[in-house]
Amino acid sequence: MKVAIVGTGYVGLVTGACLAEIGHEVLCIDNNEEKIKILKSGKMPIYEPGLDELVEKNVKAKRLKFSTDIKEGVKAAELLFVAVSTPPLPDGSADLCYVEAVSKEIAENMTDYRIVVSKSTVPVETGMWIKRTIEKYAPKGVEYDVASNPEFLREGKAISDFLNPDRIVIGVESDRARKKMLELYSPLKDRTHILVTNIESAELIKHASNSFLALKISYINAVANVCEKTKADIKEVALGMGFDKRIGKDFLEAGAGFGGSCFPKDLSAFIKIAERLGYDFKLLKEVQDINRKQADLIVQKVKDNFMTLNGKTIAVLGLAFKPDTDDMRNAPSIDIIKKLIQEGARIRAYDPVATENAKHAIGQEGSVLYHSDMYSAVKGAEAILILTDWGEFKEMDFDRLKKELGAKLTIIDGRNMFEPAQMKELGINYIGIGR
Ligand code: UDX
Ligand code: UDX
């Protein structure tokens, strides 16, 4: 099938490359000319494991193309995905100005039947607004449908999440759109559940799922706080809980809290849309509050090691909001590093891929020195703080670290990567979360 995707960000580009991989002809569109230039030159504007190979393969096979022109997409493709940003407004609600602008431009260029599919995470009832927008701007008599097809792509694992999804959710209101959307995903139908709902349910499935996952993380962080007051170990508690199939073992890792472009933004947007619909979603406000306090907790754990943090050098290992991505959006490291600096600490930071983005996100020139490997980052530092559970940290050479550090090796592990008993044996002052 012929597909156009408007918005070639993390989601749009992965979706485009994967739809091409399963046999469709895809045009990825973005109004950022620089981004399209980079893609046309065979380079990647983002880091996502496996994406460069997938893009290269499908460009070569002529199934994947790039453009800055929405008109070209509307002309070529019957299915038009909207995957533009939906950033938070100052009050936390989703800013739908790009979704509206793109819907309008698609509508103005329609000459034949088209399906406009919302891929971006949007508040419930956005589909209805997209429909009203198209109705307003499309030439008279042109038929169209609106659909919702939320993404469930974890950064770092986005390609396998697309090709082997737990489920595909399709929200439609006509039989014609349902058939087209099912045809689009037919190459994946034997690997997954395809759930067809109305548009509002599909939209809500996305917000409700992400908020529930965020709730799981805040819940386990709250339980970790109770563990710290007893001899209980959060790893054992989470393991014991996770064996219960009704709870499930995933998303029970206590630590520095959740970040990223989705959970923080989606939680705020869900709380706001619920408020607009007349429901005060206090439960989710508490989820946000627990997450905010995790940053303070980590800062306190660092402070507890010194008479005063003023003038101390802390090595921060891991800056990205999670491993296997260069994404710094809402990374817990931003807030934590800023708070440490406020206390007078100097930071030596290392991240395997997110350093360039971190420089923009954290700023604080002069107080943060960025290093290209973990051993030079820890040189002369008085404590190590781990904020992202990158695989390479698992392999760290403790003897070498002991030599590089300016004091007894202290590790504050904001991601519970190591076992306290083993660290004790190695003579390391090890502080985890809820252990
Ligand atoms: C986006 C949404 O923000 C998110 O809510 C949704 O769940 C998935 O899509 P992401 O792909 O991570 O997330 O965002 P980003 O990497 O910022 O990509 C958005 C792209 O849209 C950018 O490349 C931007 O240049 C492009 N864009 C934005 C347009 O092409 N046209 C516009 O009018 C606005
Ligand atoms: C999320 C959704 O999982 C995905 O379905 C899609 O909707 C986009 O948003 P993403 O933000 O890429 O994916 O990462 P995810 O793996 O969900 O992690 C989000 C944050 O939670 C990270 O900061 C991670 O470190 C944190 N996390 C995750 C925990 O603190 N503990 C856990 O047990 C799991």
Side-chain angles (χ1 to χ4, degrees):
M1 295 173 88
K2 290 189 174 164
V3 182
I5 298 173
V6 186
T8 309
Y10 279 87
V11 171
L13 183 56
V14 171
T15 303
C18 289
L19 284 174
E21 177 67 13
I22 62 172
H24 301 298
E25 251 179 75
V26 182
L27 182 68
C28 277
I29 302 163
D30 205 286
N31 65 0
N32 181 335
E33 289 179 11
E34 186 57 28
K35 193 174 265 189
I36 294 301
K37 217 163 105 188
I38 291 173
L39 284 161
K40 280 188 170 170
S41 74
K43 297 201 187 84
M44 281 301 108
I46 52 160
Y47 174 81
E48 176 67 31
L51 188 61
D52 40 2
E53 290 97 326
L54 200 72
V55 168
E56 194 188 335
K57 177 180 164 197
N58 284 286
V59 166
K60 259 193 192 144
K62 298 199 165 25
R63 285 192 299 262
L64 182 59
K65 291 190 178 128
F66 302 100
S67 169
T68 51
D69 188 6
I70 290 188
K71 202 172 169 183
E72 194 186 331
V74 183
K75 200 172 159 204
E78 194 170 40
L79 278 169
L80 295 145
F81 279 85
V82 180
V84 293
S85 0
T86 49
L89 286 165
D91 72 349
S93 58
D95 186 351
L96 298 175
C97 70
Y98 304 122
V99 174
E100 186 186 42
V102 165
S103 309
K104 177 172 181 264
E105 201 175 338
I106 290 173
E108 286 168 345
N109 289 290
M110 284 192 329
T111 51
D112 216 340
Y113 175 73
R114 292 292 177 262
I115 307 175
V116 180
V117 190
S118 133
K119 193 64 160 161
S120 300
T121 305
V122 291
V124 61
E125 294 187 334
T126 300
M128 174 194 81
W129 284 104
I130 294 178
K131 203 171 154 189
R132 286 189 188 174
T133 307
I134 299 174
E135 222 159 70
K136 206 161 151 188
Y137 296 106
K140 264 210 159 56
V142 173
E143 290 186 24
Y144 66 89
D145 269 307
V146 168
S148 164
N149 173 218
E151 51 89 12
F152 302 103
L153 310 174
R154 285 165 301 173
E155 287 177 26
K157 298 191 173 100
I159 293 170
S160 69
D161 279 352
F162 188 100
L163 296 173
N164 301 288
D166 286 345
R167 81 296 207 192
I168 291 169
V169 174
I170 294 170
V172 282
E173 51 182 24
S174 82
D175 201 40
R176 190 172 182 186
R178 186 180 67 87
K179 281 192 183 129
K180 287 279 174 198
M181 290 300 289
L182 287 175
E183 187 187 340
L184 180 81
Y185 284 113
S186 61
L188 300 178
K189 72 177 192 307
D190 297 330
R191 302 182 201 171
T192 189
H193 302 282
I194 298 186
L195 177 67
V196 181
T197 67
N198 67 24
I199 294 176
E200 287 78 6
S201 295
E203 291 168 336
L204 253 179
I205 286 169
K206 176 61 200 263
H207 264 159
S209 300
N210 269 6
S211 297
F212 187 78
L213 292 170
L215 180 146
K216 257 187 118 174
I217 299 168
S218 277
Y219 182 79
I220 206 68
N221 280 332
V223 176
N225 292 337
V226 177
C227 285
E228 295 208 342
K229 313 228 178 272
T230 72
K231 283 188 184 154
D233 180 334
I234 192 63
K235 282 270 190 185
E236 291 177 350
V237 175
L239 187 69
M241 287 167 63
F243 279 125
D244 187 328
K245 286 193 199 75
R246 293 169 302 174
I247 297 172
K249 62 181 173 20
D250 295 333
F251 278 69
L252 289 180
E253 301 273 3
F258 56 79
S261 69
C262 287
F263 286 177
K265 168 173 78 71
D266 294 354
L267 263 177
S268 305
F270 198 18
I271 290 168
K272 272 288 156 194
I273 189 76
E275 192 181 295
R276 247 179 57 196
L277 296 168
Y279 180 68
D280 183 4
F281 217 143
K282 285 192 188 132
L283 177 66
L284 295 185
K285 291 180 182 166
E286 186 60 22
V287 169
Q288 288 180 315
D289 200 42
I290 293 171
N291 199 53
R292 271 194 288 267
K293 286 188 180 136
Q294 280 312 103
D296 298 331
L297 186 95
I298 302 265
V299 172
Q300 190 56 48
K301 279 175 184 283
V302 179
K303 276 174 81 175
D304 286 348
N305 286 281
F306 303 98
M307 193 183 284
T308 164
L309 250 188
N310 198 11
K312 303 291 182 309
T313 301
I314 310 297
V316 176
L317 301 186
L319 300 167
F321 85 98
K322 60 183 273 190
D324 297 321
T325 177
D326 63 349
D327 199 343
M328 281 296 296
R329 288 179 287 182
N330 293 305
S333 65
I334 303 172
D335 199 20
I336 293 170
I337 288 177
K338 284 185 179 165
K339 285 185 168 140
L340 290 172
I341 290 170
Q342 260 170 27
E343 298 279 344
R346 284 191 292 262
I347 307 296
R348 294 172 71 88
Y350 167 67
D351 189 282
V353 299
T355 304
E356 282 314 308
N357 289 340
K359 285 180 186 167
H360 296 292
I362 298 169
Q364 310 288 337
E365 222 165 286
S367 301
V368 189
L369 285 179
Y370 295 92
H371 295 266
S372 55
D373 75 282
M374 73 171 119
Y375 299 101
S376 61
V378 305
K379 232 179 209 131
E382 280 159 280
I384 294 174
L385 171 61
I386 300 175
L387 291 181
T388 315
D389 40 343
W390 280 96
E392 69 173 68
F393 298 160
K394 269 269 173 218
E395 316 294 323
M396 56 175 73
D397 177 344
F398 295 112
D399 287 333
R400 196 167 158 200
L401 289 178
K402 278 180 189 167
K403 280 184 206 137
E404 303 285 11
L405 227 65
K408 180 180 175 182
L409 180 49
T410 293
I411 299 180
I412 300 112
D413 183 355
R415 294 294 174 187
N416 282 344
M417 294 188 75
F418 301 104
E419 281 310 309
Q422 195 198 351
M423 294 292 111
K424 202 172 166 190
E425 251 171 53
L426 293 169
I428 297 167
N429 175 28
Y430 178 81
I431 301 123
I433 309 286
R435 313 219 59 189

